[in-house]
Each structure stands twice: as C-alpha cells, then as structure tokens.
C-alpha cells in the first residue's frame, strides 16, 4: 500500500512504509532495518560498502514483520472476516466484525450457488451485485446430477440502483 499522509499539522497517522521507501530510494537511500513502528535507511554507497553482506535483501517483505496487521477478507456469501490484530491499536478498542458487515445475516448467500442436491425446482429473486442485472422469477428444472437444465427460465435484466 502506498499512502502519503496529507501535509497538515493536525493529521498524525503517518505515511505507509512503501511510500517512505519510494522516497528514500529516489533520494539514494536503502532500507536496512525496521521495527514495529520505525524504518532505518542508509545512503546507498554506505550500504554497498558496509552492509550488503549483513543485509542482502532490503525489500520490505524481507525486513518488516507486521505483528499487528489487520487483513479484511470477503467470503463468497458476502460475510466480512478479519484476520490478525482485531483491535484499534491507538484507541485500545476491539474491532467488532458484526458491526463491519455490509449485508444482514439473512441476506448473506452466494448468488451463484448451485441448487441443493436432490432439488428438482428452485425459485429465486435476488440482486446479483457487480453484474448490473437482477434475476427475477428464475425457475429451473434440473436433473439431480445438474447435467441437464431445461424448462421455463425467465431472466429479466434491469439496472440496479
């Protein structure tokens, strides 16, 4: 992630390590070490002369261990899950996954899921997010193995607001 903090004295969240590394590389510096919240750079000529053998890989991936990182995942049914640190670091508050959900639990389902095994007929009326269409009155008669679809498919496309 390359993020540069806006230049204003009231903002205190800092720039991303990737952005700082880009700036340092443009200025002739190499990343040689990181801590949880700090990065250390040396001039390229000094790195080549003194540290190349000690620090052969100066990439962020090799030098920076993110022990408090938070990763957000989207499950197929629309559920949002967190991995890693599940608290707001500076506010000492837990991050509540339920408050992050964009869809209510009753609407979380994979829009392209096959019909349940053994069903002859399904009916569905659900928006398909990201496709710009709405499937309405979809009736599909299928064999149990799903190999043959036949009879009465009505699909009406309409813009989703």
């Amino acid at each position: 992630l390359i993020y540069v903090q806006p230049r204003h004295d009231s903002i205190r969240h800092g720039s991303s390590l990737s952005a700082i590394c880009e700036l340092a590389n443009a200025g002739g510096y190499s990343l040689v070490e990181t801590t949880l919240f700090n990065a250390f750079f040396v001039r390229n000529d000094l790195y080549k002369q003194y540290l190349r053998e000690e620090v052969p890989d100066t990439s962020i991936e090799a030098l920076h261990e993110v022990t408090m990182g938070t990763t957000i995942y989207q499950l197929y049914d629309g559920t949002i899950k967190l991995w890693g640190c599940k608290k707001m670091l500076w506010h000492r508050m837990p991050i509540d996954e339920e408050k992050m959900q964009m869809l209510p639990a009753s609407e979380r389902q994979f829009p392209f899921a096959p019909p349940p095994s053994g069903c002859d007929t399904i009916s569905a009326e659900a928006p398909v997010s990201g496709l710009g269409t709405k499937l309405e009155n979809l009736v599909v008669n299928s064999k149990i193995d799903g190999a043959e679809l036949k009879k009465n498919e009505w699909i009406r496309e309409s813009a989703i607001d």
Side-chain angles (χ1 to χ4, degrees):
L1 171 71
I2 297 177
Y3 173 77
V4 177
Q5 172 183 296
R7 192 174 196 164
H8 196 277
D9 286 341
S10 67
I11 300 173
R12 302 262 191 254
H13 52 255
S15 298
S16 69
L17 181 56
S18 297
I20 294 169
C21 285
E22 277 191 2
L23 179 63
N25 290 337
Y29 286 83
S30 294
L31 177 67
V32 294
E33 186 60 76
T34 67
T35 66
L36 187 57
F37 301 110
N38 297 300
F40 299 90
F41 300 86
V42 297
R43 285 192 339 237
N44 287 337
D45 61 325
L46 296 174
Y47 167 76
K48 290 174 186 171
Q49 186 176 358
Y50 297 109
L51 295 172
R52 182 178 282 185
E53 289 182 28
E54 187 73 28
V55 187
D57 186 352
T58 61
S59 68
I60 293 172
E61 294 77 20
L63 295 173
H64 191 63
E65 183 177 331
V66 181
T67 58
M68 294 177 143
T70 305
T71 305
I72 299 174
Y73 291 95
Q74 298 180 48
L75 303 184
Y76 288 122
D77 68 351
T79 301
I80 303 294
K81 295 298 287 178
L82 295 177
W83 182 81
C85 184
K86 296 180 182 178
K87 67 179 180 178
M88 302 211 33
L89 299 177
W90 308 115
H91 301 284
R92 298 178 188 202
M93 295 172 53
I95 299 173
D96 185 347
E97 281 185 10
E98 282 306 310
K99 289 182 179 178
M100 295 180 59
Q101 301 305 318
M102 301 302 293
L103 294 172
S106 62
E107 293 181 25
R108 292 185 216 154
Q109 58 186 350
F110 183 51
F112 304 108
S117 181
C119 287
D120 284 339
T121 304
I122 61 167
S123 296
E125 182 175 327
V128 180
S129 62
L131 296 180
T133 62
K134 185 174 182 181
L135 302 179
E136 294 181 354
N137 302 322
L138 173 62
V139 178
V140 178
N141 290 332
S142 66
K143 289 190 175 180
I144 293 174
D145 64 7
E148 181 181 340
L149 296 177
K150 59 183 179 180
K151 203 175 184 182
N152 300 336
E153 290 189 28
W154 296 288
I155 299 176
R156 188 182 76 168
E157 295 184 7
S158 61
I160 295 178
D161 296 336

